[in-house]
Amino acid sequence: MRNTQRDRRGQLGRALAWTVLIVAVVVTIFPFYWMLRTALTPAADLFSDAGRLWPQHPTLINFARVLGFVDAEEARAAGGSGAHINFLWYTVNSIIYSGTIAVAQTFFCAMAGYAFARLRFPGRDLVFGLMIASLMVPPIFTLLPNFSLVKDLGLLNTFAGLVAPSLLMTPFAVFFLRQFFLSIPKEVEEAAVLDGTGRWGIFWRIVLPMSRGPLITIALTTTVWAWKDFLWPLLVGREEQTRVLTVALGVFLQQSPNTQPDWTGLMAGSTLSVLPVLVLLIFLGKRLVESLNFTGIK
């Protein structure tokens, strides 16, 4: 009798857990679905089809006019403002911006995390504690000092100025990698020392290859963060040659008529901007899930 009650409770608990999980997934995915649905809706049907889960007359004209594949007159006839963005140029700028930050920040955070995990030097724990405490400082507090510094250095509207504040490291990434490095057995490094390998050789040839999962996780999360960053690129990279995709979408919205924003065009541009990150997540998602187990040894 008790076993039957336990089985029922277990089944009820699993059913409740699956229900909560399904609801959470739907709530998370639905905004992206609605963005795609709006992008495929003709501008004339946007408000008349507002209650439909799928547009009555789906079309790709919104993507074509955002990319500039149609002339201004045809774009206005489709309900747009005639504005378009140089999608390929801004995508390349976003790749340069997010890729540079991801590669540099992952490497420097790995160095810092390994130093805090294995090296012994005066004030190590104090410095690490101060770094973790900096997580409580809102990023908006450092925005104005960083902007003033970049301006004084003459780096406005340059990629150097864009990546400068985020190039080195973030406290969370250092903490994350430090915790993983602590889980690597010291015997592996001691064996390398007996073979005559120095500290840099151990880090470069042994520790980093064993840490591919966590390193990919940090690189992936950093890429996603930099890809969707808007405020800092808006302040520092306003000119055409350094404008990233998120800022370009804002400019596209400003080019819409004041009476009514071009929602279908904006959603089409937003959908296109999500695709590179989505492809990255599809190819590296398995590594991301594996790294959450926090083990670097198979």
Side-chain angles (χ1 to χ4, degrees):
M1 185 67 178
R2 292 181 178 178
N3 292 335
T4 303
Q5 291 179 348
R6 290 178 180 176
D7 293 339
R8 290 179 178 176
R9 291 177 180 176
Q11 294 176 357
L12 181 62
R14 285 192 293 270
L16 181 61
W18 276 106
T19 302
V20 173
L21 180 62
I22 292 173
V23 171
V25 170
V26 171
V27 170
T28 303
I29 294 178
F30 188 77
F32 297 97
Y33 162 76
W34 199 257
M35 177 178 65
L36 177 62
R37 180 257 182 207
T38 305
L40 294 173
T41 303
D45 298 342
L46 181 61
F47 296 103
S48 61
D49 286 354
R52 295 176 178 271
L53 290 177
W54 191 252
Q56 190 173 5
H57 306 99
T59 178
L60 296 176
I61 187 63
N62 298 318
F63 294 95
R65 60 188 180 83
V66 167
L67 294 173
F69 292 161
V70 297
D71 56 30
E73 293 183 2
E74 189 175 353
R76 293 190 184 96
S81 61
H84 68 276
I85 59 177
N86 192 341
F87 187 83
L88 181 60
W89 177 268
Y90 299 139
T91 300
V92 171
N93 287 347
S94 292
I95 292 174
I96 295 174
Y97 174 63
S98 57
T100 302
I101 291 177
V103 172
Q105 194 176 113
T106 301
F107 178 69
F108 290 125
C109 286
M111 293 178 63
Y114 183 74
F116 285 123
R118 288 291 190 258
L119 303 184
R120 296 188 178 276
F121 53 88
R124 182 190 66 174
D125 295 337
L126 176 61
V127 173
F128 182 71
L130 292 175
M131 178 172 290
I132 296 302
S134 65
L135 285 170
M136 296 184 291
V137 179
I140 194 67
F141 285 1
T142 61
L143 186 66
L144 184 57
N146 285 336
F147 177 79
S148 299
L149 181 60
V150 169
K151 182 180 179 181
D152 292 340
L153 292 174
L155 296 178
L156 290 179
N157 297 306
T158 64
F159 282 106
L162 281 172
V163 303
S166 307
L167 192 63
L168 295 180
M169 62 185 67
T170 58
F172 172 77
V174 174
F175 170 77
F176 181 85
L177 293 174
R178 171 187 178 271
Q179 295 304 110
F180 177 81
F181 293 149
L182 288 174
S183 69
I184 297 178
K186 290 185 177 181
E187 290 78 8
V188 177
E189 300 178 46
E190 292 172 354
V193 172
L194 293 177
D195 290 338
T197 306
R199 182 63 69 180
W200 175 255
I202 294 173
F203 172 74
W204 185 255
R205 292 191 234 168
I206 298 176
V207 175
L208 288 186
M210 294 175 66
S211 310
R212 285 176 296 179
L215 291 175
I216 290 175
T217 300
I218 294 299
L220 187 58
T221 55
T222 304
T223 301
V224 173
W225 168 83
W227 186 270
K228 65 183 180 64
D229 192 18
F230 174 76
L231 184 56
W232 179 253
L234 176 65
L235 294 175
V236 179
R238 299 179 63 90
E239 293 186 0
E240 187 82 9
Q241 67 270 17
T242 55
R243 184 178 295 163
V244 298
L245 196 54
T246 51
V247 178
L249 291 174
V251 173
F252 175 82
L253 181 61
Q254 293 174 359
Q255 293 173 345
S256 301
N258 294 329
T259 55
Q260 179 179 320
D262 185 5
W263 294 118
T264 54
L266 181 63
M267 291 302 103
S270 299
T271 301
L272 292 172
S273 70
V274 169
L275 292 181
V277 178
L278 182 61
V279 172
L280 190 64
L281 288 172
I282 291 174
F283 280 101
L284 299 180
K286 184 178 179 181
R287 285 285 187 180
L288 176 61
V289 173
E290 289 176 352
S291 69
L292 294 178
N293 295 327
F294 232 69
T295 175
I297 304 176
K298 297 183 179 179

